[in-house]
Amino acid sequence: MAGSGQRFVEQYGKRKETDMEQEREFLQEGLDLRFFLLRLYHSLWIVVIAALGGAAICAGGYMLYKQINPAAKEYRAETKYYIDFAEDSTGIGYGYYNDYTWNDLMKSDDILPYTLSLLPEGISQETVEMAVVADIISDVRLLTITVTAPDTDTANEIAQATAESLAHYPEVIKEIDSIRVIREDKAEEVVFGDFTKNWCIFGMTAGILLSVFARWIVYCMDFSVYLPKDIEKRFGLSVLGVFYQKKRSGKTGEKECAYGREELDANTAYALKGKEKIAIVTILEPENSEELLGTLKKSDGMKQKEIVYAGSYGKTDYECIRNADAGILCFTYGGKDSKLAERYLSDLKTQDCKITYAILTSADQTMYRRYYWGAGLLMQP
């Protein structure tokens, strides 16, 4: 008894190592880019909705921000002055004032305190210093003062106080005879560039990238079986054939039909040659096991065989499988049971139930046609 138990442990350990090696090889091969792109194509509506949603959220958020955020709005008042410079002892006017000089003078004790004395108490010195900008474009006699504030009243009040302060300034210096206003523009809202289109494009791009990335993550985390090669690489089972559901392609008639009928007939005729009793097992309990058996019996290679349904995980007739000449495990296309299949196959091996073949059911006809033959070719069941 002790020797039998030790042999069982050794056999179980070898099987476990084999299963882990198959799983490791399957993961190391990477993802099937072609199949992923086809799945992405079939769910293209999700990408379109994500793009439109991203554009609406970003553009709408930007427009809402502009409407409700007062700090985002600016008002600007502009006043132009003409300066009469005094002449020095040689008869030459003092013409060395540039825009840098005027910006410094606007914050000097000769101008700023007088400007503040003309303003309401709510307007601080820092506000005035930040709001007023002096500029001389070409002629030193033409001075432009621009006042920028968050509202029209503040901008107009600072502009008016600055004009009076500059008119008073020649009284405290000898270099200037007078400063007078030659043009005055009241405060108007500063119209910045409209970035709604930019935000719309950004949101659309972000939506597309995020949706594709999300689909990629879902695909990476999806261990479902979709293709025969998934079964062969992960579980080491030979796939005899694939069945697709006609309801998936919108056609009427028989619920399931063999995909590649000649291939299925040839595979079953060769692989099951000399085997009279065939045990069929499924991972999960099917809705109608008789219908599944009826579909299998239509294959030329299985018409003269005794086909029995031996149950599913948790409800398996192990003795029936052991007495059968061959065992076939049925996988469901896109079923969420592939990880359970690993456990199930391990239990079947422990029970000395030989499962060497597999059949994939409920496959998507359109997906298979595009994956193997391309969109332009039809396949005949």
Side-chain angles (χ1 to χ4, degrees):
M1 292 294 292
S4 298
Q6 184 176 1
R7 284 195 299 272
F8 172 78
V9 172
E10 291 177 354
Q11 291 175 357
Y12 180 80
K14 291 180 179 179
R15 291 170 182 169
K16 193 68 175 177
E17 290 178 1
T18 302
D19 294 341
M20 292 178 64
E21 183 64 25
Q22 290 176 343
E23 181 77 9
R24 186 159 47 248
E25 290 178 359
F26 173 75
L27 294 176
Q28 287 176 348
E29 288 188 6
L31 301 177
D32 191 333
L33 182 60
R34 178 180 176 83
F35 191 70
F36 167 73
L37 293 177
L38 284 173
R39 290 186 64 186
L40 184 65
Y41 174 77
H42 279 262
S43 59
L44 194 60
W45 62 273
I46 297 178
V47 179
V48 174
I49 291 177
L52 296 177
I57 291 174
C58 290
Y62 170 71
M63 295 174 66
L64 183 62
Y65 172 78
K66 288 176 61 178
Q67 292 295 325
I68 66 176
N69 187 10
K73 293 184 179 181
E74 288 185 352
Y75 296 87
R76 185 171 297 165
E78 187 176 277
T79 308
K80 294 185 178 294
Y81 301 87
Y82 184 84
I83 305 172
D84 286 319
F85 288 99
E87 296 180 354
D88 59 16
S89 58
T90 62
I92 301 175
Y94 296 95
Y96 46 79
Y97 284 65
N98 55 31
D99 50 356
Y100 294 102
T101 304
W102 279 110
N103 276 296
D104 290 337
L105 289 174
M106 299 306 296
K107 301 174 184 178
S108 67
D109 293 338
D110 291 336
I111 297 178
L112 185 58
Y114 191 88
T115 303
L116 293 173
S117 67
L118 302 174
L119 292 172
E121 294 182 357
I123 301 178
S124 65
Q125 175 178 335
E126 182 180 1
T127 300
V128 176
E129 291 179 352
M130 295 293 295
V132 177
V133 175
D135 188 25
I136 292 180
I137 299 177
S138 57
D139 195 332
V140 295
R141 296 171 298 178
L142 299 178
L143 172 66
T144 301
I145 298 294
T146 303
V147 177
T148 305
D151 59 84
T152 56
D153 293 337
T154 302
N156 287 329
E157 289 175 349
I158 295 177
Q160 183 62 36
T162 301
E164 295 183 23
S165 180
L166 287 175
H168 172 266
Y169 182 57
E171 299 179 7
V172 299
I173 60 171
K174 65 177 182 178
E175 289 87 355
I176 298 176
D177 289 334
S178 66
I179 300 177
R180 55 191 175 88
V181 176
I182 59 174
R183 179 177 176 180
E184 183 178 10
D185 294 330
K186 296 297 183 181
E188 295 181 355
E189 182 178 354
V190 180
V191 179
F192 295 99
D194 188 1
F195 297 103
T196 303
K197 182 178 179 181
N198 302 67
W199 279 103
C200 183
I201 295 175
F202 171 79
M204 185 178 296
T205 305
I208 293 173
L209 293 178
L210 288 176
S211 62
V212 172
F213 179 72
R215 292 294 296 170
W216 179 262
I217 293 297
V218 171
Y219 181 60
C220 291
M221 299 298 294
D222 187 2
F223 285 90
S224 302
V225 170
Y226 292 96
L227 301 172
K229 68 176 183 178
D230 297 337
I231 301 174
E232 295 167 353
K233 293 178 180 178
R234 291 181 59 183
F235 306 103
L237 302 178
S238 299
V239 179
L240 296 177
V242 179
F243 291 80
Y244 69 88
Q245 283 190 352
K246 285 201 171 186
K247 67 178 184 180
R248 288 180 180 267
S249 59
K251 297 181 181 180
T252 58
E254 187 180 20
K255 184 178 180 182
E256 289 206 27
C257 185
Y259 156 76
R261 171 70 69 183
E262 295 181 357
E263 179 186 0
L264 177 67
D265 293 342
N267 288 339
T268 53
Y270 176 78
L272 302 179
K273 184 178 181 180
K275 299 178 174 61
E276 299 300 327
K277 185 177 182 180
I278 311 299
I280 306 297
V281 290
T282 57
I283 303 170
L284 300 177
E285 187 72 23
E287 296 180 1
N288 192 334
S289 59
E290 293 298 327
E291 183 178 354
L292 175 62
L293 294 179
T295 305
L296 292 173
K297 288 179 180 179
K298 292 180 181 180
S299 171
D300 292 341
M302 301 180 73
K303 286 182 178 179
Q304 306 300 324
K305 310 292 183 183
E306 180 186 356
I307 302 177
V308 295
Y309 179 65
S312 59
Y313 180 77
K315 300 178 182 179
T316 306
D317 187 348
Y318 294 109
E319 189 65 27
C320 176
I321 302 175
R322 282 192 289 266
N323 293 332
D325 297 318
I328 299 176
L329 178 60
C330 294
F331 290 83
T332 303
Y333 175 91
K336 307 303 178 184
D337 51 9
S338 61
K339 297 300 292 184
L340 181 61
E342 298 176 7
R343 173 64 182 174
Y344 193 21
L345 285 172
S346 178
D347 291 344
L348 290 170
K349 289 179 181 179
T350 303
Q351 291 287 335
D352 288 329
C353 297
K354 295 182 180 180
I355 302 295
T356 53
Y357 303 108
I359 288 178
L360 184 59
T361 64
S362 302
D364 188 335
Q365 178 191 16
T366 304
M367 179 68 78
Y368 269 63
R369 185 191 68 212
R370 288 174 174 163
Y371 183 82
Y372 288 108
W373 282 282
L377 296 175
L378 297 176
M379 64 181 186
Q380 299 298 329

